Amino acid sequence: MSERLEKLHTAEEEPDSERLRKIYSAIMGILADQEKKYEEGDKNARKKAKLDLEALERVFLGKLYPTHQEEVALFFRLPRMIWDDRVMTKKKKTGEEIRFEDVSLAEQNYLFTHFVLENQGDRNYLNQFWSDMAGIAKRLGAGTDFEGMKRGILAQVAAFRLLEAAGFKPKLSTPSEDIRPGVDFWAEQESSEFAVQVKGHKNQESPYLISGVGKINFFGGLQDIPSSSGEEKNIQEDKDTFRNFARRVDNFSRRHKKDIEPLLIALPEKEIDQITGTPSAELWRRVTGK
């Protein structure tokens, strides 16, 4: 660990690509050490790797890249997020109570969404960011899960921008708000407040909105008729999801004495840029009318 720290240095005008390379290499080095120790029979290899990641993250945040806090945090917490996700999945199967792991994942979801929204205009930078992130996830055997999470984040980014352009005032939810009612972000329009959940679908042709008592409205004035069996399945699953979401939002509203309307927005992934989360021109037109 000390040898790895001694090799690190930074410069005033260091390019993004070089900074990302250093962060990526440092994390992969710790993961390689963990794998070696595990193969040698060290049952505490993962625990030691977590401690090493936390220590190195403090160095990167405090000494090397204090002006890139969110970026550094996302990279160094990705392995821990993947490990926490496995613990959470195991607890769900056994019916154990979930607390810390759930918070960890919700915090990571918030950071990812905010980070992409802030850097949406720099495609080359985000391309390397996602590529390095995917490399770390694959090293931990979570490549497929990470790609699913990435698509979900980008769908949230697209929905956020679309609502913003449609005259709403969206704002990201806090991790605790994300956990309890499952809110991806909030939105306001005039005197109304909305809790928004976003779904991105691979085999979806049309964007739609579910609101009120489960009513579906297709954007762009299309008829309320699924164009395929896959789309019909998405709609049915989203209706079920919306009912549960609406119930949680209602409970949240009662506790906080607010009048909040739940909205579920479903977007076709093929109409979302899978690096920046930017909606296609067609999706933009359909949802915003612009």
Side-chain angles (χ1 to χ4, degrees), residues 274-287:
Q274 290 302 302
I275 294 175
T276 66
T278 303
S280 69
E282 174 62 15
L283 184 57
W284 197 270
R285 182 189 65 78
R286 292 272 287 276
V287 175

Side-chain angles (χ1 to χ4, degrees), residues 3 17 36 42 50 62 66 72 86-88 91 106-107 110 126 131 141 161 167-168 170 175 183 186 203 216 267 281:
E3 294 178 0
S17 58
K36 183 179 179 182
D42 187 346
K50 282 187 175 183
V72 171
R86 289 171 181 166
V87 172
M88 187 177 73
K91 284 188 174 183
E107 287 176 345
Y110 171 87
L126 284 178
S131 178
R161 292 303 188 206
F168 290 77
V183 178
W186 306 95
N203 55 343
I216 295 183
L267 302 176

